[in-house]
């Protein structure tokens, strides 16, 4: 079995030489050797199991909103999940596929009069990505509303977990530890007033738009928050707000973000991240750990 057969004989279409900058929120990244977009669980299982059989590494991406893809591209099979996006409301539960956008999940909850997930309304990712990273905002984390998770393990088998057995932590989950592919999740919410729920989400989105550089390409919040500190103010006090390397700039609106203002490359982003880490450490003695994921980089590059 070889890579040519892997692509040619696949029952799910696999594209070759696809520019990742067309998918990433930063608008950066080189070419993926292979890319597929499953539409349902059966197609996703098939792709993962086929990749395992052919010994081809695979990489799952949702909205690619919190990643930096190397300018050299990706040799793995990239599986983009956004076409696998079913959302079903059953009583006070939402059952959603991993590729469903958080925005759409929260809107479904609001329209159904279900409260508890409003905090996620502005997070620009998918449910699967949010579970992988245990994404959060405004004091809430996705782990607080998840009850069950279906996934594919590294052997290609379907496995199911209760949320309390998924090793959730700050931007951490069992999916990271064991290279699990999130397939679907059950979200537990409680009944509420639809008008008040939608109003709260509108207010949170207005706050986000006022404070964050949503008008420019970015990878979202770049760094994890160190205990007892706030990243943005530390970067500001280090004199780096507005600092630019190539086409990447520390946002003038929120210093915790790096924006693409002029055809930035992934290399520009990495160089600016390294500068921020070095400068903040020299001033505060704190090493900022990235929240963003680096994909396709060689050892020592990030």
């Amino acid at each position: 079995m070889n890579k040519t057969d892997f692509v040619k004989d696949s029952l799910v279409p696999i594209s070759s030489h696809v520019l990742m900058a067309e998918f990433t929120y930063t608008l950066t990244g080189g070419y993926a050797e292979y890319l597929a977009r499953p539409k349902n669980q059966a197609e996703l299982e098939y792709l993962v199991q086929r990749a395992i059989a052919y010994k081809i590494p695979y990489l799952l991406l949702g909205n690619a909103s919190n990643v930096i893809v190397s300018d050299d591209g990706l040799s793995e099979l990239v599986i983009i999940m956004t076409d696998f996006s079913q959302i079903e409301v059953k009583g006070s539960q939402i059952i959603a596929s991993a590729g469903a956008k958080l925005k759409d999940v929260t809107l479904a909850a609001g329209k159904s009069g279900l409260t508890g997930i409003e905090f996620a309304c502005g997070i620009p990712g998918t449910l699967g990505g949010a579970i992988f990273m245990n994404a959060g905002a405004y004091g809430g984390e996705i782990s607080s509303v998840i009850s069950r998770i279906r996934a594919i393990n590294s052997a290609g088998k379907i496995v199911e977990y209760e949320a309390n057995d998924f090793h959730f932590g700050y931007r951490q989950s069992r999916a990271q530890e064991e290279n699990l592919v999130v397939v679907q999740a059950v979200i537990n919410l409680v009944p509420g007033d639809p008008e008040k729920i939608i109003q709260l989400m509108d207010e949170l989105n207005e706050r986000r738009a006022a404070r964050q550089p949503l008008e420019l390409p970015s990878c979202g919040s770049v760094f994890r928050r160190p205990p007892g500190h706030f990243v943005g103010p530390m970067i500001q006090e280090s004199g780096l707000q507005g600092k630019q390397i190539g086409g990447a700039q520390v946002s003038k609106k929120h210093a915790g973000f790096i924006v693409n203002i002029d055809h930035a490359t992934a290399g520009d982003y990495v160089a600016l991240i390294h500068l921020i880490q070095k400068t903040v450490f020299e001033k505060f003695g704190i090493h900022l750990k990235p929240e963003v994921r680096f994909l396709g980089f060689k050892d020592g590059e990030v």
Side-chain angles (χ1 to χ4, degrees):
M1 296 188 292
N2 57 47
K3 289 185 176 182
T4 302
D5 292 335
F6 171 77
V7 175
K8 182 180 66 175
D9 298 333
S10 176
L11 299 178
V12 178
I14 299 175
S15 302
S16 301
H17 199 61
V18 180
L19 185 63
M20 289 304 301
E22 297 178 358
F23 294 92
T24 62
Y25 259 53
T26 58
L27 304 183
T28 65
Y31 287 87
E33 190 171 358
Y34 305 115
L35 185 143
R37 306 188 68 170
K39 297 179 176 60
N40 52 51
Q41 179 177 321
E43 290 189 355
L44 176 59
E45 280 188 78
Y46 173 84
L47 286 167
V48 172
Q49 291 168 355
R50 186 174 176 82
I52 291 170
Y54 276 76
K55 295 182 171 55
I56 292 177
Y58 54 91
L59 173 67
L60 276 289
L61 285 178
N63 256 7
S65 57
N66 197 217
V67 300
I68 297 175
V69 174
S70 168
D71 298 317
D72 293 332
L74 299 169
S75 59
E76 301 96 333
L77 166 65
V78 178
I79 302 175
I80 301 285
M81 296 287 284
T82 48
D83 289 347
F84 179 29
S85 56
Q86 293 79 9
I87 299 171
E88 181 182 7
V89 179
K90 282 189 172 182
S92 60
Q93 292 184 327
I94 293 179
I95 302 169
S97 303
K101 294 180 181 179
L102 284 178
K103 174 184 175 182
D104 295 334
V105 173
T106 59
L107 282 175
K111 290 176 181 177
S112 302
L114 296 175
T115 184
I117 198 171
E118 291 91 333
F119 68 88
C121 63
I123 298 175
T126 58
L127 179 61
I131 290 171
F132 183 90
M133 292 292 293
N134 191 18
Y138 299 112
E141 289 182 328
I142 200 69
S143 57
S144 67
V145 294
I146 298 293
S147 65
R148 292 195 308 280
I149 298 152
R150 179 181 298 164
I152 304 173
N153 66 18
S154 57
K157 304 296 184 183
I158 290 290
V159 287
E160 298 207 5
Y161 299 92
E162 298 297 317
N164 59 12
D165 195 31
F166 210 67
H167 304 176
F168 281 119
Y170 177 64
R171 304 297 177 262
Q172 182 64 36
S173 75
R174 189 168 187 159
Q176 296 178 43
E177 298 168 359
E178 300 178 12
N179 192 31
L180 299 175
V181 174
V182 177
V183 175
Q184 184 187 78
V186 178
I187 301 166
N188 275 4
L189 302 171
V190 295
D193 183 331
E195 288 188 12
K196 290 182 179 179
I197 294 168
I198 297 295
Q199 181 182 359
L200 176 55
M201 290 196 293
D202 288 344
E203 291 172 359
L204 292 177
N205 282 326
E206 287 173 9
R207 286 172 60 186
R208 184 181 289 268
R211 298 176 182 180
Q212 298 180 6
L214 305 184
E215 69 280 4
L216 291 169
S218 82
C219 56
S221 180
V222 178
F223 300 103
R224 299 174 182 232
R225 180 184 169 189
H229 298 272
F230 291 95
V231 172
M234 284 196 295
I235 295 174
Q236 285 179 308
E237 291 175 37
S238 298
L240 292 175
Q241 189 157 27
K243 175 66 178 178
Q244 185 173 337
I245 292 180
Q249 181 189 68
V250 177
S251 170
K252 295 179 180 179
K253 193 172 186 179
H254 189 313
F257 287 68
I258 296 176
V259 291
N260 182 347
I261 64 168
D262 186 17
H263 302 91
T265 65
D268 295 338
Y269 266 84
V270 170
L272 193 49
I273 287 170
H274 287 167
L275 176 63
I276 293 168
Q277 289 175 314
K278 178 177 181 292
T279 307
V280 168
F281 183 78
E282 289 173 351
K283 184 173 181 62
F284 295 96
I286 293 172
H287 177 67
L288 293 179
K289 295 181 180 179
E291 178 176 315
V292 64
R293 296 170 63 205
F294 298 94
L295 304 176
F297 291 89
K298 299 178 179 67
D299 289 344
E301 288 185 326
V302 294

